[in-house]
Amino acid sequence: QQQVKQSPQSLIVQKGGISIINCAYENTAFDYFPWYQQFPGKGPALLIAIRPDVSEKKEGRFTISFNKSAKQFSLHIMDSQPGDSATYFCAAKTGFQKLVFGTGTRLLVSP
Amino acid sequence: ETGVTQSPTHLIKTRGQQVTLRCSSQSGHNTVSWYQQALGQGPQFIFQYYREEENGRGNFPPRFSGLQFPNYSSELNVNALELDDSALYLCASSRGQGNAEAFFGQGTRLTVV
């Protein structure tokens, strides 16, 4: 019940396209859903986050869509750029800040 | 405002040895969490410290232990190293327990041979 399932495992998108990464969870106690971006050899960097009382949040080219009833949330990267090539992790939080991470999606944006 | 810094960046240890990893939290942050990230996996929660007290622990054995100091910096200690302990160890800090945003350091890459 503590798991967060993430798909796809890898994704190739052409420059200018839309990248979509999906996550699903079971624990309805989760109250915060962040997305992290990680480059090789670096720590995860907080990208964007949403709370379950909101269905969508947009920051620049990044949008989170949240479906509380389906217990799913997704990251959309509009106008994807080669510099967006990285591994993306969804996560969920419960209680005192323990983050439960998905397994990651390796995104490659081709020039 | 300084970010989260970890030291060392890389470390090679022999099986059975002990290791200490260090983390300086972001300015103004009093909560530090440690995560283990195996190659190709998502980070796994080890434990969290808030105001020098451990207040949460993941599914890791007692040979993983930690400390938080009055300046909110933190240490992760691992005894009796095993080959499977080879991973990227990440420290994250946040401002209090009610604030959800956690910011990660660059990690320490530990290799156990």
Side-chain angles (χ1 to χ4, degrees):
Chain A
Q1 199 181 25
Q2 286 293 316
Q3 284 185 332
V4 177
K5 296 183 179 180
Q6 184 172 347
S7 63
Q9 189 173 21
S10 62
L11 182 61
I12 300 175
V13 173
Q14 285 197 330
K15 179 182 175 181
I18 303 174
S19 305
I20 302 174
I21 305 171
N22 301 298
C23 284
Y25 64 97
E26 289 295 326
N27 187 349
T28 55
F30 286 144
D31 59 5
Y32 175 72
F33 302 87
W35 284 89
Y36 284 85
Q37 178 189 58
Q38 186 175 29
F39 292 103
K42 304 293 185 182
L46 180 61
L47 201 57
I48 187 173
I50 199 168
R51 293 196 179 272
D53 54 347
V54 177
S55 61
E56 185 174 282
K57 183 174 181 180
K58 184 176 180 179
E59 289 184 1
R61 296 185 294 110
F62 300 92
T63 299
I64 299 179
S65 296
F66 188 85
N67 186 329
K68 188 174 181 178
S69 60
K71 291 184 283 186
Q72 295 176 348
F73 59 111
S74 60
L75 175 69
H76 292 64
I77 306 174
M78 312 300 287
D79 187 26
S80 298
Q81 299 297 311
D84 297 330
S85 297
T87 300
Y88 292 82
F89 291 95
C90 63
K93 183 191 79 70
T94 179
F96 54 79
Q97 291 277 18
K98 170 187 174 181
L99 283 166
V100 179
F101 283 84
T103 50
T105 296
R106 183 174 290 185
L107 171 66
L108 176 64
V109 181
S110 59
Chain B
E1 185 176 272
T2 57
V4 180
T5 57
Q6 293 185 240
S7 62
T9 54
H10 295 84
L11 201 53
I12 300 175
K13 288 287 189 177
T14 303
R15 188 172 50 183
Q17 285 188 316
Q18 178 266 344
V19 69
T20 298
L21 310 181
R22 294 178 174 83
C23 171
S24 293
S25 60
Q26 188 165 318
S27 177
H29 288 187
N30 57 11
T31 302
V32 172
S33 303
W34 286 91
Y35 292 79
Q36 180 195 65
Q37 186 177 21
L39 202 61
Q41 301 294 318
Q44 298 290 316
F45 175 73
I46 302 175
F47 44 56
Q48 174 178 274
Y49 281 85
Y50 172 66
R51 292 186 175 178
E52 303 178 58
E53 296 285 332
E54 182 182 302
N55 72 342
R57 189 178 184 91
N59 188 26
F60 282 82
R63 59 189 186 84
F64 285 78
S65 63
L67 285 172
Q68 188 179 32
F69 299 99
N71 66 354
Y72 304 128
S73 66
S74 178
E75 285 183 356
L76 164 66
N77 299 290
V78 187
N79 293 320
L81 284 166
E82 301 177 358
L83 297 180
D84 285 349
D85 295 334
S86 296
L88 181 68
Y89 287 85
L90 296 162
C91 168
S93 75
S94 56
R95 191 189 305 270
Q97 298 208 85
N99 190 330
E101 287 188 338
F103 297 92
F104 285 82
Q106 82 282 7
T108 294
R109 172 68 65 185
L110 172 64
T111 302
V112 182
V113 297

